[in-house]
Amino acid sequence: MSPLSTPGPPEPALDADEIQGDSLAGFRKNHQYFLFFTIGDVPAFRRLLADLASELATLREVAEFNNLYRLVRNRRGAHRTGLSAVWKNIAFTARGLGLLTSEAAVNAFDDTAFTIGLAPRAGLLGDLPPDGGNDPTVDWKFGGTSRPVDGMLTIAADDPNALERAALETEQAWSRGGVVKVWAETCHVRPDLPGHEHFGFRDSISQPGIRGRIDRRPDNYISPRYFDVSDLRATRYARPGQRLIWPGEFILGLPRQQLPPADDLQPGTSHLSGPRWARNGSYVVIRRLTQDVAAFRAFNAAASTALLAAGANLTADRVAALIVGRWPSGAPLVRSPTTDEPSLGADDFAANDFGYESAWLDAAYTDPPVLDPKVELPPNVARIDQFPPGVPDDAGVICPHSSHLRKVNPRDQTTDQGGPDNTLHRRILRRGIPFGDPYSEASASQDRGLMFVSYQASIVDQFEFLMTSWVNSAVNPPGPPGGMDILIGGKPLAARTLVLSNENGDPYEVPIHQVATRPWVTATGGGYFFAPSISTITHLLAKTP
Amino acid sequence: MEQWMPPGSADDLDQVPDGRTRWDIAMTEFFAAAVNRAQSVLPAGSHAQIVDAVHPSSTLTWSPAPIFWNGFPKVLLSKFPTVHQALVAAEKLIPFNLDGRSIKMRPQDEYLEWHTTTVQGKIKAVDFTCEGPEYWQALAHGYPDGVTPPAGAPQAAGNLDLVTALYRKFVDPAVQKSDLLDAAGHYDPWNQWNTAKGAMHLTHISNSLQAEVFLAGDATVLREKSGVVLIDADQLIRCAQYGVPERSSDPTIGSAVNGLARSGALVSLLNPVGLYIDSLDTTGWTKPDGSPVGDYWTIQRGTPDFILRARYEVPEHEGFTVSDIKIGGQPIAYAGQIAQKITMRLTGISADKNNHNTPPIACAAAASHALAVASTVPERVGSTRVPG
C-alpha cells in the first residue's frame, strides 16, 4: 500500500527509534503475555534492563511491520501473510521508577494519579470493596495495596508458541536477576470471534488517528491516510470516522492538540508534564477487568422482561446493544437502529463513521466519504459507503446517552467540556486484549475478561476523567434522560439504573438491583505505569548512578 | 398571580417590604431586556424564542432541561500548566477595574465560589455559594443595582439589618453593618466579608444572575456560518459572543439553550431562576483510617433541589479535619479539589416545540449586539464589563 499525500499540515517525523511501539502503532498481535513484577535487586535488575533495551520494540519497528503486514495481507489474505514477530515493551509504576531513579524524580511527574498509583484511586473509579472492607483492591491479583508492582513487561506475538518460548525464557532469566513475579497472564484474541470481547461485542473499532510520521518520507504516516484530496475531511481525518489528533495527547513532550479558536491543523505546544527524561514516554493504564458473562446475559434478559412490563418491547439482545451502543458485530446503533448488520460491523470504516448530532461525525460534512481510488482498503471495507447514514440522535432515543459508546467518546456532541473538539483532549489509545477462554455454560465460572490497556499523556485528564466525570456520572456527557454507563461503571448495584428513552423522549428506567444479582464487570488487578523512551531506559534506568 | 421566586425559594425577602414583589419586578426586567436583545438581532417578522415564562401567565406546558457543568474554573486549568498551580490560583483574589473602581474578586467564574477557613494550617471548613449579587443588592436596597422599577412599582427600600444579620450568621459574628457599605453608604458586593474574609455570595463580575438570563436569551438566536446552522458549542459562543468560551458554564449553557431553540420551542428558565449547586461527588474519598468519608456536606441556604449555599466541614467528633481527607489517595490541600467534584446546574425550560422557528443569523450581524464579557484571565486586569 502506498498511502497518499494529503493536503493537511506538515506533520513531524517522530522519534520513532525512541518511542516504545505499542503506544502509537499498537502491537496488534493475537497473543500477548503480561508480567507484573517487583524489583528485588536493583543492580541486578539494571543489568537485565540493559540487555532488554535492545530487544524492546520501537515505534519504527512496529509501525513498519504493520505497514508490511497490511501490504502482504491485501495481496495474499490475512491467513497467508507468513509474517511473524515477537515484540516486547516495558513500563514502570511510580514505585518502580522511584527505585531506579529517586523520589524527587518521580515527584516531578505532574500526574497525581501516576505518582499516587492506581490502588489508592480505585475507589475514585468506582471499584467496590468486598463486603465489610474498605479496600477495593484487597483481592486483586496484582497492583492492589497488598500486591504492589514495580513494573510490567509485555510480550506480544503472532505465534502462540513463539510467545510461550519468549515468556518462559524471560521468566527464567528474570527470576535469576532478582525479579519477583507478582502475576503473569497470557492473553489471546478470542479464537471463535477474533476482535470480540467476552460479552460478544466487537471491540477497539474506534481509535484516534495520530498525526506524525515514522520518518522523513512525506507519506509514511503513523496513521495511514485514505481520503481522496477532493474530500475536505482529508485534512482532519486519517480514514472515515478517525479524527487526527496531535501526538502530544498520547506521548509526553510532543505537540498537543489545540482547542478552538486555535487552528487544530497546527501543532500545539509541546508540554512535558514530567522530568526531562519523560519525553517520548507515555502513561499506561492497566485494568484487569473480569467479565461475568452469565450475569450480563441474565441482566439483559431480566431487563427485557421488566421493560416489556413498562411498555417497551426490547429483546435481550437489543437491551445489550443499547447498553453498549453497538451490536455484537460492531455495527453502531445510529446506523442500524433495530437489528444487527454484520456487514456494517465488519467494515472498519463505515462502523466508525457516524455522529450523534450529524450523520458523518461532523456537521461540516454532509456527504459520504470519498476515498482515494489508488489506495488499497482493509478487508471488508467498501470503497463507497452504501450503508444507511447515521440518524442524528441528539435525544438519545436510538443510542442512549448512557450507552458505553457515547459515554467514553461523545464524538460530535457538545459536552460539559464545550464543543466536540474539547473531547479530543480526552481520547485514549486502547490496546486491550481478552484473557480467559470464551464463555460457555459449562465454563461459566471460569475467570475471563479483558486486560484493558490504554496509553495517554495524562492519566488524570484522560483515563480518570472518562471514568469519573462521564462513565460514572448520571448527568454527563449531557443528554436526556442521563444515566450512568452501566456496562463498565462502578457504584454499587443498588445505585445503578438502566436509563433509556422511548420515541417521545420519555424515560424508561430499570433499577438494576431489581433484576441483577451481581456486577458483571469487576476489576481484579491493575496499575498506573509509565513506558519510558528507549534512551531513558538505556542511559538512565539501566545505568548505575 | 404567579411571580418569579427568589433563588432557591429563599424566604429572606419576606423581611423586606414588598420584597418578593420587587424581586419579581427585577426578574421581569431582566427577561424583558433579554427578549429585546434577542429580538434586536432577528429580522422583522420573527419573534424571539426567549420569553418570560411567568408573565403573562399562560397555559403552556413547560418541559425542564437541566444543564450541568463542573464547579472548578476551567479557565484556570487551561491557563496554568499544572493542576496544582490552578488550585493555588483559585484561592487568590484578583484585582479588577470595574467602571473605574478597583475591586478584588475571586477568580472562581463557574457560578460557584468558595471561602476556605483554615486553622493552624489545616482546612477546617469550606463555604460554597452560588448566589448572585443581585439578590443581595435587593435585600439591601430593594432592587438589584441598575434595575429601574416601572412607574407605580414599590419604591426601593431594603433591609440592611437583615443583610448584616445574614452575614453574621453565615460568615462571621463580627460583621458590622458599616463593613458592608461603600463610601456612599451603598451595599458593596466586594466588601471584605465577601472577599478576603468570607463568601456570602458571588463576586466574579461574570457571575451574575442578569448575565445568566442574557446569556440564555442570546443563545436562543440560531446562528449560521456559510449557510450551515451552527450546533457546536464552541462555534456558537464565538459566533454569538454570549459568554466566555474558555469557561465550562457559558458554552455549555449556551449550546443547550440553543438546542432547545433549534427545536422550534419557546425557551425560558425554570422558576426560581438560579445557578445552583447540584451535587457533590465524594466517591473514593477516604478518612485517615481508609474508610469512606461520612456526609460532611451541609446545605445552609436553599433546598436540597436548589442548593444556594453549602458547607463542607468534618464534625469535631470525627477527630480529623478536611485536610486529612484523601481524594483518591491525595490529601485535600485546596478547596478547589472539592470544587472539582461539585456539579453545577441551571435548568432551561421549553414549550410548544416546532412552532416557533426563527431564521439563523450570521455571526457578523450578531457581534454588535453581543454581550461583551470581561476576560476572566487573572492578569488581564483593566478591561471593563459592559452590561447589556
Side-chain angles (χ1 to χ4, degrees):
Chain A
M1 187 188 93
S2 174
L4 71 167
S5 292
T6 73
E11 296 180 23
L14 305 188
D15 296 329
D17 298 319
E18 274 282 82
I19 299 167
Q20 295 196 59
D22 193 31
S23 54
L24 294 186
F27 285 160
R28 302 175 193 222
K29 301 300 184 199
N30 284 356
H31 313 281
Q32 192 162 352
Y33 162 88
F34 294 82
L35 174 65
F36 300 95
F37 60 87
T38 56
I39 301 168
D41 179 339
V42 172
F45 182 75
R46 289 193 202 280
R47 290 192 289 276
L48 287 175
L49 203 52
D51 289 341
L52 176 71
S54 61
E55 296 179 42
L56 293 173
T58 65
L59 169 61
R60 184 190 310 282
E61 292 161 358
V62 177
E64 294 288 20
F65 179 94
N66 291 346
N67 282 340
L68 178 64
Y69 180 85
R70 273 190 288 268
L71 179 72
V72 178
R73 177 199 60 194
N74 288 343
R75 196 170 73 82
R76 302 183 196 174
H79 300 293
R80 291 186 294 178
T81 64
L83 296 173
S84 182
V86 177
W87 300 135
K88 294 180 183 178
N89 270 182
I90 195 165
F92 300 93
T93 60
R95 185 183 127 120
L97 280 183
L99 290 172
L100 299 171
T101 58
S102 66
E103 190 179 339
V106 172
N107 288 337
F109 281 93
D110 179 33
D111 192 295
T112 304
F114 174 69
T115 54
I116 289 177
L118 173 55
R121 298 179 77 79
L124 203 60
L125 304 180
D127 292 345
L128 299 170
D131 289 344
N134 290 324
D135 181 3
T137 73
V138 66
D139 294 329
W140 281 17
K141 298 181 185 307
F142 63 91
T145 46
S146 58
R147 308 197 76 189
V149 299
D150 295 330
M152 168 188 71
L153 176 76
T154 60
I155 308 176
D158 297 281
D159 176 355
N161 296 322
L163 179 69
E164 192 178 347
R165 283 195 301 275
L168 188 62
E169 288 168 11
T170 300
E171 283 199 20
Q172 288 173 345
W174 281 35
S175 65
R176 290 193 297 270
V179 170
V180 179
K181 177 171 78 175
V182 177
W183 184 254
E185 188 129 34
T186 302
C187 304
H188 305 282
V189 166
R190 281 182 61 172
D192 57 334
L193 277 173
H196 291 60
E197 50 71 56
H198 284 300
F199 289 154
F201 290 82
R202 190 161 174 241
D203 197 12
S204 291
I205 296 170
S206 174
Q207 298 274 10
I210 299 152
R211 289 201 189 274
R213 291 171 294 126
I214 299 162
D215 52 33
R216 293 182 181 280
R217 283 175 289 171
D219 291 341
N220 200 12
Y221 293 109
I222 293 166
S223 295
R225 312 299 157 90
Y226 291 90
F227 274 102
D228 188 83
V229 292
S230 65
D231 191 316
L232 292 176
R233 277 166 283 208
T235 59
R236 287 192 167 83
Y237 289 81
R239 62 192 204 180
Q242 190 179 55
R243 180 78 182 259
L244 285 162
I245 300 177
W246 289 91
E249 298 298 326
F250 312 106
I251 303 292
L252 273 63
L254 300 188
R256 296 193 66 196
Q257 187 77 11
Q258 297 200 105
L259 290 180
D263 182 2
D264 67 305
L265 294 180
Q266 300 305 314
T269 53
S270 301
H271 177 52
L272 179 58
S273 59
R276 273 195 331 179
W277 49 263
R279 181 179 157 80
N280 285 324
S282 180
Y283 294 111
V284 195
V285 172
I286 300 286
R287 296 265 289 167
R288 186 181 191 274
L289 300 173
T290 292
Q291 293 174 269
D292 187 336
V293 178
F296 183 63
R297 290 183 181 177
F299 170 77
N300 296 327
S304 171
T305 304
L307 285 162
L308 190 60
N313 187 5
L314 302 172
T315 64
D317 288 346
R318 180 93 178 270
V319 170
L322 289 166
I323 291 172
V324 174
R326 292 185 186 273
W327 294 97
S329 74
L333 284 177
V334 294
R335 298 198 69 174
S336 186
T338 56
T339 55
D340 198 353
E341 175 50 68
S343 59
L344 170 59
D347 184 327
D348 281 348
F349 290 10
N352 195 32
D353 199 9
F354 62 94
Y356 298 111
E357 301 211 3
S358 51
W360 303 106
L361 190 49
D362 188 321
Y365 311 116
T366 54
D367 297 314
V370 179
L371 304 181
D372 187 297
K374 301 186 295 298
V375 177
E376 290 190 61
L377 301 177
N380 306 316
V381 170
R383 191 163 292 281
I384 299 173
D385 184 342
Q386 293 184 317
F387 296 101
V391 178
D393 186 35
D394 188 38
V397 173
I398 298 169
C399 183
H401 286 283
S402 60
S403 69
H404 178 62
L405 215 60
R406 288 185 91 142
K407 281 285 187 179
V408 296
N409 183 12
R411 292 174 178 254
D412 58 343
Q413 271 179 252
T414 281
T415 73
D416 53 316
Q417 298 298 301
D421 276 10
N422 290 272
T423 299
L424 301 179
H425 274 325
R426 310 296 179 182
R427 300 300 308 277
I428 55 178
L429 296 169
R430 292 174 298 138
R431 305 292 186 226
I433 185 169
F435 67 85
D437 295 329
Y439 172 84
S440 67
E441 285 189 18
S443 68
S445 61
Q446 286 183 13
D447 191 19
R448 61 175 59 79
L450 180 75
M451 190 69 82
F452 172 89
V453 181
S454 71
Y455 290 86
Q456 52 271 298
S458 167
I459 296 173
V460 170
D461 292 338
Q462 290 167 279
F463 171 74
E464 283 197 346
F465 174 89
L466 292 174
M467 289 299 294
T468 61
S469 297
W470 286 352
V471 165
N472 285 332
S473 167
V475 299
N476 283 318
M484 284 174 48
D485 173 353
I486 65 166
L487 182 70
I488 65 165
K491 309 272 185 189
L493 284 180
R496 298 195 210 178
T497 300
L498 170 62
V499 182
L500 307 173
S501 289
N502 69 8
E503 291 74 5
N504 300 322
D506 302 322
Y508 291 112
E509 296 192 358
V510 183
I512 290 176
H513 67 95
Q514 290 179 5
V515 290
T517 54
R518 57 188 191 273
W520 44 82
V521 173
T522 308
T524 48
Y528 289 157
F529 298 84
F530 182 74
S533 68
I534 303 291
S535 65
T536 291
I537 292 168
T538 305
H539 301 302
L540 178 71
L541 305 182
K543 279 213 164 167
T544 304
Chain B
M1 190 178 80
E2 189 185 359
Q3 288 185 325
W4 285 108
M5 292 183 286
S9 300
D11 61 5
D12 319 296
L13 283 167
D14 292 337
Q15 299 177 55
V16 179
D18 297 313
R20 286 182 181 269
T21 300
R22 280 201 287 256
W23 182 255
D24 177 63
I25 288 170
M27 290 302 298
T28 302
E29 190 167 302
F30 288 170
F31 272 96
V35 170
N36 286 338
R37 290 165 63 93
Q39 191 67 57
S40 68
V41 298
L42 292 171
S46 294
H47 296 287
Q49 289 176 255
I50 180 76
V51 295
D52 181 332
V54 171
H55 306 295
S57 60
S58 74
T59 57
L60 289 171
T61 301
W62 293 94
S63 300
I67 304 160
F68 303 94
W69 66 94
N70 188 266
F72 188 82
K74 185 182 174 189
V75 291
L76 297 181
L77 292 171
S78 303
K79 172 181 163 55
F80 293 101
T82 70
V83 175
H84 178 258
Q85 287 170 298
L87 289 167
V88 172
E91 296 291 319
K92 294 179 179 169
L93 295 175
I94 53 173
F96 191 80
N97 186 333
L98 184 70
D99 300 329
R101 181 190 166 198
S102 178
I103 62 165
K104 285 189 174 179
M105 63 182 186
R106 281 179 282 271
Q108 302 153 4
D109 63 352
E110 297 289 3
Y111 301 100
L112 176 72
E113 298 187 18
W114 63 87
H115 179 77
T116 309
T117 302
T118 55
V119 175
Q120 295 177 333
K122 289 202 159 194
I123 299 174
K124 181 177 183 296
V126 186
D127 291 308
F128 293 93
T129 178
C130 58
E131 294 190 64
E134 293 98 328
Y135 180 75
W136 290 82
Q137 291 163 343
L139 283 180
H141 299 298
Y143 289 104
D145 291 359
V147 168
T148 308
Q155 291 301 301
N159 187 342
L160 278 169
D161 290 335
L162 171 65
V163 173
T164 308
L166 289 169
Y167 263 81
R168 285 178 181 161
K169 179 178 179 182
F170 292 109
V171 177
D172 196 310
V175 174
Q176 298 298 312
K177 191 197 302 187
S178 58
D179 297 341
L180 308 179
L181 307 179
D182 63 18
H186 199 77
Y187 174 69
D188 178 9
W190 297 278
N191 69 75
Q192 59 177 313
W193 295 106
N194 192 37
T195 49
K197 294 181 176 176
M200 190 69 251
H201 60 78
L202 302 173
T203 63
H204 194 284
I205 49 93
S206 296
N207 287 346
S208 75
L209 214 52
Q210 185 195 42
E212 171 210 344
V213 175
F214 285 2
L215 191 163
D218 289 356
T220 61
V221 177
L222 275 58
R223 303 289 171 177
E224 62 91 9
K225 200 170 184 179
S226 306
V228 177
V229 175
L230 299 182
I231 60 173
D232 178 317
D234 296 315
Q235 293 176 9
L236 273 168
I237 196 168
R238 289 195 162 79
C239 175
Q241 300 178 29
Y242 48 57
V244 179
E246 292 78 14
R247 293 166 81 176
S248 287
S249 49
D250 290 356
T252 304
I253 295 169
S255 168
V257 168
N258 191 260
L260 297 176
R262 291 198 305 273
S263 73
L266 293 176
V267 179
S268 193
L269 298 174
L270 186 70
N271 189 15
V273 175
L275 299 122
Y276 297 103
I277 296 169
D278 180 75
S279 56
L280 169 69
D281 181 6
T282 59
T283 303
W285 294 28
T286 51
K287 298 178 183 180
D289 67 3
S291 63
V293 294
D295 183 6
Y296 309 143
W297 179 245
T298 307
I299 299 168
Q300 294 189 319
R301 286 176 54 79
T303 67
D305 288 336
F306 298 96
I307 302 173
L308 294 172
R309 180 184 187 84
R311 167 172 276 215
Y312 196 77
E313 180 176 27
V314 182
E316 279 197 18
H317 68 81
E318 290 275 25
F320 59 89
T321 69
V322 174
S323 294
D324 299 312
I325 292 172
K326 290 182 177 177
I327 301 176
Q330 183 181 28
I332 295 179
Y334 302 96
Q337 291 167 266
I338 302 173
Q340 287 179 314
K341 298 294 180 182
I342 292 177
T343 297
M344 302 297 297
R345 186 191 75 239
L346 164 74
T347 303
I349 53 176
S350 65
D352 206 20
K353 195 173 165 183
N354 297 323
N355 289 326
H356 301 274
N357 298 294
T358 51
I361 302 301
C363 302
S368 60
H369 297 276
L371 171 66
V373 179
S375 166
T376 54
V377 180
E379 77 267 27
R380 291 173 68 183
V381 175
S383 58
T384 301
R385 174 173 173 245
V386 181

